[in-house]
Amino acid sequence: MTTVFRSFSARQLTAFFLMLGAIVGLGAYTFVYANGASYLSDNPQACANCHVMHTQYENWNKSGHKHVANCNDCHMPNNSFFAKYAAKSYNGFMHASAFTIGDYPDTLTITNFNRDVTLLNCVRCHEGVVSSMAKVGTADQADCLSCHRGVGH
């Protein structure tokens, strides 16, 4: 590995390590400032870190779902650890990007991917009640959110 560094001048190496340090430092500062560790948990308060989610958090806090489900139970894939954290990572990146550059609508709307995840989780939790009408995976699949849009928050 030292042979790799020998091909660069001391000035180039100093510039490289200064840039690397700045990137790592800025990333660490952003992670701490944005309460990044809280997003690794299932704590619903993490979803309220962003001011645009306060209404949803307060509504969930007053709902019947508060006692049986948190944000991740409904809005993240629950079929595997990998799928859950892959979706959390993707959503986190998209949210952080939108909030950093200010490119988000006043009224948030769920993406198609997250809507599908939420629908599957509705059916998963309420399977005994909806199994005969849900028809999951078919063209006739029930759309729980068309009637129950505000349930949960």
Side-chain angles (χ1 to χ4, degrees):
M1 179 130 171
T2 57
T3 57
V4 171
F5 291 122
R6 288 184 186 161
S7 61
F8 295 102
S9 70
R11 187 178 203 174
Q12 289 172 322
L13 286 173
T14 301
F16 170 76
F17 284 112
L18 282 173
M19 286 181 11
L20 182 63
I23 290 168
V24 169
L26 183 61
Y29 172 79
T30 302
F31 187 79
V32 170
Y33 178 78
N35 298 317
S38 70
Y39 295 103
L40 301 175
S41 75
D42 282 335
N43 186 341
Q45 288 179 325
C47 298
N49 283 345
C50 299
H51 67 277
V52 297
M53 294 303 291
H54 284 176
T55 301
Q56 286 83 356
Y57 175 75
E58 289 302 319
N59 289 341
W60 167 83
N61 214 15
K62 297 172 192 168
S63 78
H65 275 95
K66 175 186 179 180
H67 305 289
V68 294
N70 63 44
C71 305
N72 288 326
D73 290 330
C74 297
H75 293 283
M76 287 294 116
N78 286 287
N79 55 345
S80 77
F81 177 85
F82 176 76
K84 176 180 178 179
Y85 281 94
K88 284 182 93 153
S89 298
Y90 175 76
N91 285 334
F93 176 77
M94 297 306 289
H95 295 162
S97 299
F99 291 125
T100 299
I101 62 175
D103 184 27
Y104 60 93
D106 291 334
T107 304
L108 297 178
T109 56
I110 194 167
T111 65
N112 288 336
F113 169 76
N114 288 310
R115 188 176 187 3
D116 290 344
V117 167
T118 302
L119 286 170
L120 287 174
N121 286 327
C122 291
V123 172
R124 180 180 54 83
C125 284
H126 300 282
E127 186 174 22
V129 177
V130 302
S131 61
S132 63
M133 68 179 115
K135 299 179 185 174
V136 176
T138 70
D140 297 332
Q141 179 173 330
D143 183 355
C144 308
L145 299 177
S146 64
C147 295
H148 302 282
R149 184 172 182 224
V151 171
H153 54 71

